Amino acid sequence: MRKTATALVSLALASTFATPLLAADLRMSWWGGDSRHKATQEALKVCGEKHGHTIAPEFTGFDGHLEKLMTQIAGRTEADIMQVNWPWLPLFSIKGDGFADLNDFSEYIDLSNWTEDQLASGSMNGKLNGLPVSTTGRVFFFNTTSFQKAGLPLPATWDDLFAAAKVLKEKIGPDAYPMNAIKETAVLLVSLRATQATGKDLIDPETTTVAWTPEELAAAIDFYGKMVEGGVVMSQKDAAAEGNINLFESPKWADGRIAGSYEWDSTYSKFADPLQEGQKLEAVKLLASPDARTEGVYRKPSMVFSISKNSKNPQAAAQIVNCLLNEPEGIKALGSSRGLPASNTAAKALADAGSTEMELIVANAIVTAGAGPTVSPFNEHPEVRSIFIDALEEFAYGQIDAQTAAEEIIDGINGALKKFRS
């Protein structure tokens, strides 16, 4: 308790730069579950009292929230402060003018708590449209018990992964695999391989088109095919025969026969909890080849806090945003209700208070330290993801080759994104 109090006092001393403002009546909208609703309402109460503002809460579940936000923004009735899903930024602000530019409120928001990459990920057309509330990214999780049983160290390179496949099958069983790669995970592994080889994200930010050539993408898809052939990952056909169940619900995951996956760092507990007693999950740095141009980290905001461009009191809204994300009252109230905070001050406060599990801290540190091009929100546009998954599935079933799959993906994505190009 004394440690927590000391950390929060230090934060208070560091967060007194904001200029006092006249009392304002504000609104804030978000989605989530009961725990997030409770934490956010408490945070708005204490931050409102601290700065002399009143903030009316507007909260829902995730289903239907996008439609509600679209209706409000179209009618200019949106809340002053909004929780916005990161892939929605280009839907509302492709030119950067859909939300207020938070750079204009640096007097009230301590932007130094975010890295340049984090701020870039919340920006559209050079305008800071949203502050990352928490930063998440993909990391490799491996079952240390399975690798120890096989007498192997955890993989550090792609070659290690291929070598491990043979040994795991000998030591654990013929249906053992060092890695999982189905549907979205397969797409992101292919994307990782292409990004490492080219140094480019899937989407070119200047042209809003696919940045990879068909040959570059085909090479990454072919690599995925070799993973299947080498017994590194289960085939799509075999996974379908088992019912395409979620990895964390799979008996093979629980008993360590599937000994690794490429998942969001924030989902550590979801994948660690189902493991049988005595088994342990560990996050490791991204696997890469010696000739990789970049680690290719896939790092993104899980969500952002934005301010309405139509707000009558944007400075007051900025003051509240800063309190929620950077000041001790807001940090303590919100806790980890939205994941490990992206704000350096908030993350340190929660870590000092012992409120974050060490495994999550380690996994998030790998994501934060990783190098790679800025990831475009269009990577997760529903049409983009669907096109990628469908073509990769056709390839997995032998209906098309890697070159054809690459051409289908690139043509399909470029067509889907045409409406977003000026």
Side-chain angles (χ1 to χ4, degrees), residues 1-11 331 340-341 343-358 361:
M1 182 65 73
R2 183 178 299 171
K3 192 175 184 181
T4 303
T6 301
L8 294 178
V9 167
S10 298
L11 284 174
I331 292 168
L340 189 64
S343 161
N344 181 61
T345 295
K348 184 177 186 304
L350 294 188
D352 288 347
S355 2
T356 307
E357 56 187 334
M358 183 53 63
I361 292 174

Side-chain angles (χ1 to χ4, degrees), residues 347-408:
K348 184 177 186 304
L350 294 188
D352 288 347
S355 2
T356 307
E357 56 187 334
M358 183 53 63
E359 293 85 357
L360 178 56
I361 292 174
V362 170
N364 189 260
I366 292 172
V367 170
T368 302
T374 299
V375 176
S376 166
F378 284 120
N379 279 270
E380 297 183 24
H381 187 284
E383 286 185 74
V384 170
R385 185 56 54 82
S386 177
I387 289 165
F388 212 138
I389 287 176
D390 289 348
L392 203 57
E393 192 168 279
E394 287 184 76
F395 168 77
Y397 276 87
Q399 297 170 348
I400 56 177
D401 61 18
Q403 185 69 27
T404 303
E407 291 169 357
E408 284 190 6

Side-chain angles (χ1 to χ4, degrees), residues 28 30 39-48 51 55 81 114 133 305 317-335 338 341 343 346:
M28 177 173 175
W30 72 89
T40 308
Q41 289 181 89
E42 175 61 22
L44 292 179
K45 178 176 179 293
V46 296
C47 285
H51 293 289
I55 311 100
I81 304 167
W114 289 266
V133 180
F305 280 174
Q319 208 169 46
I320 294 301
V321 167
N322 189 69
C323 180
L324 293 173
L325 301 180
N326 293 329
E327 296 176 16
E329 297 83 357
I331 292 168
K332 182 178 179 181
L334 287 184
R338 287 173 172 81
S343 161

Side-chain angles (χ1 to χ4, degrees), residues 45-185:
K45 178 176 179 293
V46 296
C47 285
E49 290 173 351
K50 177 178 182 177
H51 293 289
H53 307 309
T54 301
I55 311 100
E58 300 177 4
F59 50 89
T60 66
F62 183 77
D63 290 343
H65 193 85
L66 173 59
E67 291 74 16
K68 177 181 178 180
L69 196 57
M70 291 177 71
T71 300
Q72 289 182 328
I73 289 178
R76 298 186 178 183
T77 60
E78 70 271 22
D80 299 272
I81 304 167
M82 293 167 280
Q83 175 182 296
V84 178
N85 200 18
W86 177 68
W88 298 348
L89 286 178
L91 302 181
F92 292 115
S93 190
I94 188 62
K95 296 181 179 180
D97 57 0
F99 301 102
D101 184 354
L102 301 184
N103 287 310
D104 295 338
F105 305 105
S106 57
E107 179 182 357
Y108 302 98
I109 303 175
D110 185 0
L111 299 178
S112 68
N113 275 299
W114 289 266
T115 65
E116 289 185 11
D117 284 348
Q118 287 173 323
L119 294 177
S121 67
S123 299
M124 296 298 298
N125 195 30
K127 305 294 179 63
L128 183 55
N129 281 178
L131 275 175
V133 180
S134 54
T135 298
T136 188
R138 287 270 169 161
V139 295
F140 285 95
F141 288 127
F142 288 111
N143 186 319
T144 60
T145 308
S146 296
F147 279 87
Q148 287 170 359
K149 186 176 180 179
L152 294 169
L154 297 184
T157 67
W158 292 112
D159 287 343
D160 291 345
L161 197 64
F162 277 83
K166 297 178 182 178
V167 181
L168 284 170
K169 292 183 190 307
E170 293 172 359
K171 301 291 186 179
I172 294 179
D175 58 349
Y177 300 89
M179 176 60 55
N180 163 69
I182 304 297
K183 295 190 179 295
E184 181 188 51
T185 305

Side-chain angles (χ1 to χ4, degrees), residues 206-247:
E206 299 297 325
T207 63
T208 317
T209 59
V210 176
W212 306 325
T213 66
E215 291 71 28
E216 289 168 340
L217 179 52
I221 293 172
D222 184 60
F223 181 78
Y224 164 68
K226 290 177 181 176
M227 292 176 76
V228 175
E229 292 171 7
V232 175
V233 300
M234 186 186 301
S235 70
Q236 297 266 18
K237 185 176 181 180
D238 287 345
E242 294 185 359
N244 279 327
I245 56 178
N246 292 317
L247 179 63

